[in-house]
PDB file of all heavy atoms in Angstrom:
ATOM      1  N   TYR B  88       2.095   4.606 -12.741  1.00 97.00           N
ATOM      2  CA  TYR B  88       3.217   5.500 -12.424  1.00 97.00           C
ATOM      3  C   TYR B  88       2.661   6.947 -12.297  1.00 97.00           C
ATOM      4  O   TYR B  88       1.928   7.393 -13.197  1.00 97.00           O
ATOM      5  CB  TYR B  88       4.301   5.362 -13.470  1.00 97.00           C
ATOM      6  CG  TYR B  88       5.011   4.021 -13.583  1.00 97.00           C
ATOM      7  CD1 TYR B  88       4.463   2.984 -14.222  1.00 97.00           C
ATOM      8  CD2 TYR B  88       6.264   3.870 -12.913  1.00 97.00           C
ATOM      9  CE1 TYR B  88       4.968   1.723 -14.212  1.00 97.00           C
ATOM     10  CE2 TYR B  88       6.818   2.628 -12.906  1.00 97.00           C
ATOM     11  CZ  TYR B  88       6.201   1.512 -13.552  1.00 97.00           C
ATOM     12  OH  TYR B  88       6.781   0.358 -13.539  1.00 97.00           O
ATOM     13  N   PHE B  89       3.108   7.525 -11.211  1.00 96.00           N
ATOM     14  CA  PHE B  89       2.667   8.933 -10.979  1.00 96.00           C
ATOM     15  C   PHE B  89       3.889   9.840 -10.944  1.00 96.00           C
ATOM     16  O   PHE B  89       4.849   9.467 -10.168  1.00 96.00           O
ATOM     17  CB  PHE B  89       2.041   9.045  -9.668  1.00 96.00           C
ATOM     18  CG  PHE B  89       0.633   8.393  -9.600  1.00 96.00           C
ATOM     19  CD1 PHE B  89       0.525   7.132  -9.044  1.00 96.00           C
ATOM     20  CD2 PHE B  89      -0.473   9.035 -10.040  1.00 96.00           C
ATOM     21  CE1 PHE B  89      -0.766   6.499  -9.000  1.00 96.00           C
ATOM     22  CE2 PHE B  89      -1.727   8.402  -9.942  1.00 96.00           C
ATOM     23  CZ  PHE B  89      -1.859   7.183  -9.480  1.00 96.00           C
ATOM     24  N   CYS B  90       3.924  10.926 -11.635  1.00 97.00           N
ATOM     25  CA  CYS B  90       4.936  11.878 -11.407  1.00 97.00           C
ATOM     26  C   CYS B  90       4.315  12.874 -10.297  1.00 97.00           C
ATOM     27  O   CYS B  90       3.175  12.908 -10.131  1.00 97.00           O
ATOM     28  CB  CYS B  90       5.247  12.720 -12.545  1.00 97.00           C
ATOM     29  SG  CYS B  90       3.887  13.625 -13.345  1.00 97.00           S
ATOM     30  N   ALA B  91       5.202  13.572  -9.642  1.00 95.00           N
ATOM     31  CA  ALA B  91       4.803  14.457  -8.590  1.00 95.00           C
ATOM     32  C   ALA B  91       5.737  15.635  -8.481  1.00 95.00           C
ATOM     33  O   ALA B  91       6.941  15.556  -9.094  1.00 95.00           O
ATOM     34  CB  ALA B  91       4.660  13.803  -7.257  1.00 95.00           C
ATOM     35  N   ALA B  92       5.352  16.726  -7.898  1.00 93.00           N
ATOM     36  CA  ALA B  92       6.209  17.798  -7.691  1.00 93.00           C
ATOM     37  C   ALA B  92       5.963  18.413  -6.319  1.00 93.00           C
ATOM     38  O   ALA B  92       4.777  18.276  -5.766  1.00 93.00           O
ATOM     39  CB  ALA B  92       5.897  18.944  -8.695  1.00 93.00           C
ATOM     40  N   ARG B  93       6.928  18.879  -5.588  1.00 90.00           N
ATOM     41  CA  ARG B  93       6.876  19.376  -4.270  1.00 90.00           C
ATOM     42  C   ARG B  93       7.142  20.906  -4.248  1.00 90.00           C
ATOM     43  O   ARG B  93       8.116  21.299  -4.781  1.00 90.00           O
ATOM     44  CB  ARG B  93       7.758  18.582  -3.269  1.00 90.00           C
ATOM     45  CG  ARG B  93       7.542  18.839  -1.847  1.00 90.00           C
ATOM     46  CD  ARG B  93       8.635  18.412  -1.056  1.00 90.00           C
ATOM     47  NE  ARG B  93       9.855  19.235  -1.177  1.00 90.00           N
ATOM     48  CZ  ARG B  93      10.885  19.286  -0.370  1.00 90.00           C
ATOM     49  NH1 ARG B  93      10.919  18.453   0.584  1.00 90.00           N
ATOM     50  NH2 ARG B  93      11.913  20.052  -0.661  1.00 90.00           N
ATOM     51  N   PHE B  94       6.376  21.568  -3.398  1.00 83.00           N
ATOM     52  CA  PHE B  94       6.635  22.946  -3.270  1.00 83.00           C
ATOM     53  C   PHE B  94       7.842  23.221  -2.369  1.00 83.00           C
ATOM     54  O   PHE B  94       8.038  22.624  -1.313  1.00 83.00           O
ATOM     55  CB  PHE B  94       5.365  23.639  -2.597  1.00 83.00           C
ATOM     56  CG  PHE B  94       4.202  23.911  -3.497  1.00 83.00           C
ATOM     57  CD1 PHE B  94       3.181  23.096  -3.522  1.00 83.00           C
ATOM     58  CD2 PHE B  94       4.262  24.947  -4.421  1.00 83.00           C
ATOM     59  CE1 PHE B  94       2.120  23.167  -4.313  1.00 83.00           C
ATOM     60  CE2 PHE B  94       3.230  25.122  -5.279  1.00 83.00           C
ATOM     61  CZ  PHE B  94       2.186  24.245  -5.133  1.00 83.00           C
ATOM     62  N   SER B  95       8.700  24.147  -2.741  1.00 80.00           N
ATOM     63  CA  SER B  95       9.930  24.434  -1.975  1.00 80.00           C
ATOM     64  C   SER B  95       9.450  25.089  -0.598  1.00 80.00           C
ATOM     65  O   SER B  95       8.580  25.873  -0.628  1.00 80.00           O
ATOM     66  CB  SER B  95      10.873  25.394  -2.704  1.00 80.00           C
ATOM     67  OG  SER B  95      10.353  26.611  -2.945  1.00 80.00           O
ATOM     68  N   GLY B  96      10.142  24.675   0.391  1.00 73.00           N
ATOM     69  CA  GLY B  96       9.699  25.331   1.748  1.00 73.00           C
ATOM     70  C   GLY B  96       8.563  24.773   2.363  1.00 73.00           C
ATOM     71  O   GLY B  96       8.231  25.175   3.496  1.00 73.00           O
ATOM     72  N   GLY B  97       7.823  23.867   1.670  1.00 71.00           N
ATOM     73  CA  GLY B  97       6.615  23.277   2.241  1.00 71.00           C
ATOM     74  C   GLY B  97       6.915  22.023   3.092  1.00 71.00           C
ATOM     75  O   GLY B  97       7.999  21.625   3.244  1.00 71.00           O
ATOM     76  N   TYR B  98       5.820  21.492   3.591  1.00 76.00           N
ATOM     77  CA  TYR B  98       5.882  20.356   4.385  1.00 76.00           C
ATOM     78  C   TYR B  98       5.636  19.094   3.546  1.00 76.00           C
ATOM     79  O   TYR B  98       4.774  18.317   3.850  1.00 76.00           O
ATOM     80  CB  TYR B  98       4.922  20.372   5.546  1.00 76.00           C
ATOM     81  CG  TYR B  98       5.330  21.355   6.600  1.00 76.00           C
ATOM     82  CD1 TYR B  98       4.909  22.703   6.543  1.00 76.00           C
ATOM     83  CD2 TYR B  98       6.140  20.956   7.675  1.00 76.00           C
ATOM     84  CE1 TYR B  98       5.279  23.587   7.524  1.00 76.00           C
ATOM     85  CE2 TYR B  98       6.527  21.880   8.634  1.00 76.00           C
ATOM     86  CZ  TYR B  98       6.083  23.137   8.599  1.00 76.00           C
ATOM     87  OH  TYR B  98       6.538  24.063   9.599  1.00 76.00           O
ATOM     88  N   ASN B  99       6.454  18.818   2.530  1.00 80.00           N
ATOM     89  CA  ASN B  99       6.338  17.645   1.647  1.00 80.00           C
ATOM     90  C   ASN B  99       4.921  17.582   1.059  1.00 80.00           C
ATOM     91  O   ASN B  99       4.440  16.436   0.909  1.00 80.00           O
ATOM     92  CB  ASN B  99       6.689  16.336   2.458  1.00 80.00           C
ATOM     93  CG  ASN B  99       8.020  16.006   2.179  1.00 80.00           C
ATOM     94  OD1 ASN B  99       8.581  16.133   1.176  1.00 80.00           O
ATOM     95  ND2 ASN B  99       8.696  15.354   3.181  1.00 80.00           N
ATOM     96  N   LYS B 100       4.333  18.643   0.738  1.00 86.00           N
ATOM     97  CA  LYS B 100       3.038  18.641   0.017  1.00 86.00           C
ATOM     98  C   LYS B 100       3.360  18.341  -1.396  1.00 86.00           C
ATOM     99  O   LYS B 100       3.899  19.148  -2.206  1.00 86.00           O
ATOM    100  CB  LYS B 100       2.307  19.979   0.134  1.00 86.00           C
ATOM    101  CG  LYS B 100       1.083  19.987  -0.745  1.00 86.00           C
ATOM    102  CD  LYS B 100       0.430  21.435  -0.597  1.00 86.00           C
ATOM    103  CE  LYS B 100      -0.763  21.503  -1.445  1.00 86.00           C
ATOM    104  NZ  LYS B 100      -1.410  22.945  -1.373  1.00 86.00           N
ATOM    105  N   LEU B 101       2.959  17.098  -1.846  1.00 90.00           N
ATOM    106  CA  LEU B 101       3.208  16.612  -3.147  1.00 90.00           C
ATOM    107  C   LEU B 101       2.030  16.896  -4.037  1.00 90.00           C
ATOM    108  O   LEU B 101       0.893  16.522  -3.649  1.00 90.00           O
ATOM    109  CB  LEU B 101       3.595  15.227  -3.226  1.00 90.00           C
ATOM    110  CG  LEU B 101       4.935  14.761  -2.504  1.00 90.00           C
ATOM    111  CD1 LEU B 101       5.191  13.280  -2.615  1.00 90.00           C
ATOM    112  CD2 LEU B 101       6.145  15.465  -3.204  1.00 90.00           C
ATOM    113  N   ILE B 102       2.158  17.404  -5.247  1.00 92.00           N
ATOM    114  CA  ILE B 102       1.188  17.485  -6.244  1.00 92.00           C
ATOM    115  C   ILE B 102       1.355  16.433  -7.276  1.00 92.00           C
ATOM    116  O   ILE B 102       2.470  16.303  -7.867  1.00 92.00           O
ATOM    117  CB  ILE B 102       1.156  18.925  -6.932  1.00 92.00           C
ATOM    118  CG1 ILE B 102       1.065  20.023  -5.997  1.00 92.00           C
ATOM    119  CG2 ILE B 102       0.053  18.990  -7.929  1.00 92.00           C
ATOM    120  CD1 ILE B 102      -0.107  20.042  -5.125  1.00 92.00           C
ATOM    121  N   PHE B 103       0.455  15.609  -7.417  1.00 94.00           N
ATOM    122  CA  PHE B 103       0.626  14.363  -8.327  1.00 94.00           C
ATOM    123  C   PHE B 103       0.042  14.632  -9.634  1.00 94.00           C
ATOM    124  O   PHE B 103      -0.978  15.277  -9.807  1.00 94.00           O
ATOM    125  CB  PHE B 103      -0.106  13.124  -7.572  1.00 94.00           C
ATOM    126  CG  PHE B 103       0.688  12.454  -6.500  1.00 94.00           C
ATOM    127  CD1 PHE B 103       0.643  12.984  -5.269  1.00 94.00           C
ATOM    128  CD2 PHE B 103       1.495  11.362  -6.787  1.00 94.00           C
ATOM    129  CE1 PHE B 103       1.332  12.398  -4.186  1.00 94.00           C
ATOM    130  CE2 PHE B 103       2.120  10.804  -5.755  1.00 94.00           C
ATOM    131  CZ  PHE B 103       2.073  11.302  -4.473  1.00 94.00           C
TER     132      PHE B 103
END
Side-chain angles (χ1 to χ4, degrees):
Chain B
Y88 292 81
F89 293 95
C90 63
R93 190 195 72 166
F94 286 99
S95 63
Y98 286 91
N99 261 329
K100 175 184 176 181
L101 295 179
I102 306 299
F103 281 83

